[in-house]
């Protein structure tokens, strides 16, 4: 079945460090891929998305590229800030009735 | 613009009690859904609706009921609460159910069943 696997956390980085959170997926066909972010006490917010192979989603300095050949959608940021501390979820969807989320990766950025 | 509003934010129930979690959106979205979030498991879909009067089951529907009488509201009912239903519940909405549509989430309801 369709599924998403994320790197286990927690991840702790110093401010201005480079961030990579790995996400791989198993799916048939051509799902859309998403990264959502959850700040403490809040719901999930869309961070970025890509809807077809080789698309790059980007927002707030974060990037991820839809790699069909490696079935991956890794999240990257060149220089993290304390305000980026949150839980990050990778997700895939053929439609919203069948959206699959990864388990989430908690990121803590220290000053 | 309030977006998706969930009430209550916290609730403690005893086993066997019933309750309704409220969800309202003011974006005129067709599609609404309920998820539960459990540690280490991401979010799992409970029920969803593609429009007023239309609902269907998701991945984990047992023990929950929903209805959609208006576009704006999508309440989730726990008929007889069980400790296994202790979780954080999120309501979400999107313009349509299409695969490219991002979902907008409420802030969640943290529910504990004793």
């Amino acid at each position: 079945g369709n599924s998403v696997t994320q790197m286990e956390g927690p991840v702790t980085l110093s401010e201005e460090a480079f961030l990579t959170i790995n996400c791989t997926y198993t799916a048939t066909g051509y799902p859309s891929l998403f990264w959502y972010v959850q700040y403490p006490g809040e719901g999930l917010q869309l961070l970025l998305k890509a809807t077809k192979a080789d698309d790059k989603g980007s927002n707030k300095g974060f990037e991820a590229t839809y790699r069909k050949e490696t079935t991956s959608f890794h999240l990257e940021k060149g220089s993290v800030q304390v305000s980026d501390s949150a839980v990050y979820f990778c997700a895939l969807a053929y439609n919203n009735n069948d959206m699959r989320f990864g388990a989430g990766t908690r990121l803590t950025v220290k000053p | 613009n309030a977006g998706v509003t969930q009430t209550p934010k916290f609730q403690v129930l005893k086993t066997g009690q019933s309750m309704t979690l409220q969800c309202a959106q003011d974006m005129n979205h067709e599609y609404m859904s309920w998820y539960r979030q459990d540690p280490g498991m991401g979010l799992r879909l409970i029920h969803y609706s593609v429009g007023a009067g239309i609902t269907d089951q998701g991945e984990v529907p047992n023990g929950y009921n929903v209805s959609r009488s208006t576009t704006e509201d999508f309440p989730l009912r726990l008929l007889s609460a069980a400790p296994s239903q202790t979780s954080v519940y999120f309501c979400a909405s999107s313009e349509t159910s299409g695969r490219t549509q991002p979902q907008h989430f409420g802030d969640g309801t943290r529910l504990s069943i004793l």
Side-chain angles (χ1 to χ4, degrees):
Chain A
N2 303 326
S3 64
V4 173
T5 302
Q6 287 181 237
M7 64 184 289
E8 291 189 16
V11 174
T12 302
L13 296 173
S14 297
E15 208 165 22
E16 300 184 2
F18 185 86
L19 169 70
T20 300
I21 300 178
N22 290 338
C23 171
T24 57
Y25 67 91
T26 301
T28 55
Y30 304 97
S32 292
L33 301 174
F34 301 84
W35 277 101
Y36 283 88
V37 58
Q38 184 180 30
Y39 299 104
E42 299 183 8
L44 280 69
Q45 304 174 24
L46 178 69
L47 182 59
L48 53 84
K49 71 175 186 179
T51 59
K52 61 183 187 296
D54 300 324
D55 266 2
K56 177 186 282 187
S58 61
N59 186 27
K60 299 180 181 179
F62 291 89
E63 292 183 342
T65 301
Y66 189 163
R67 303 282 189 201
K68 194 171 190 302
E69 64 276 12
T70 55
T71 62
S72 65
F73 193 55
H74 304 321
L75 182 68
E76 297 181 337
K77 186 175 185 182
S79 176
V80 294
Q81 306 300 312
V82 172
S83 57
D84 294 326
S85 297
V87 181
Y88 292 81
F89 291 91
C90 186
L92 69 81
Y94 288 100
N95 55 55
N96 282 333
N97 308 344
D98 190 17
M99 178 169 268
R100 302 294 171 129
F101 288 85
T105 302
R106 182 176 299 278
L107 170 67
T108 300
V109 180
K110 296 188 173 180
Chain B
N1 189 353
V4 179
T5 302
Q6 290 184 239
T7 57
K9 291 189 182 302
F10 303 94
Q11 184 71 47
V12 178
L13 292 178
K14 294 181 179 179
T15 297
Q17 287 184 315
S18 62
M19 81 160 294
T20 299
L21 280 61
Q22 301 292 343
C23 175
Q25 54 92 7
D26 62 359
M27 298 172 282
N28 201 33
H29 284 172
E30 289 184 1
Y31 181 85
M32 296 186 73
S33 56
W34 278 101
Y35 290 88
R36 58 179 290 172
Q37 183 181 31
D38 300 297
M41 301 186 70
L43 277 72
R44 292 181 293 168
L45 182 64
I46 304 171
H47 285 285
Y48 65 92
S49 169
V50 297
I54 305 169
T55 64
D56 207 343
Q57 297 180 352
E59 182 182 359
V60 288
N62 292 341
Y64 307 95
N65 273 1
V66 292
S67 60
R68 183 107 179 262
S69 56
T70 67
T71 299
E72 295 78 18
D73 299 302
F74 191 45
L76 178 73
R77 296 183 187 84
L78 279 70
L79 306 175
S80 177
S84 61
Q85 294 178 304
T86 293
S87 188
V88 182
Y89 291 85
F90 288 99
C91 180
S93 73
S94 60
E95 287 190 29
T96 69
S97 63
R99 70 176 187 88
T100 64
Q101 292 292 319
Q103 297 198 62
H104 301 259
F105 286 82
D107 287 344
T109 295
R110 186 174 294 275
L111 183 62
S112 294
I113 314 297
L114 304 178

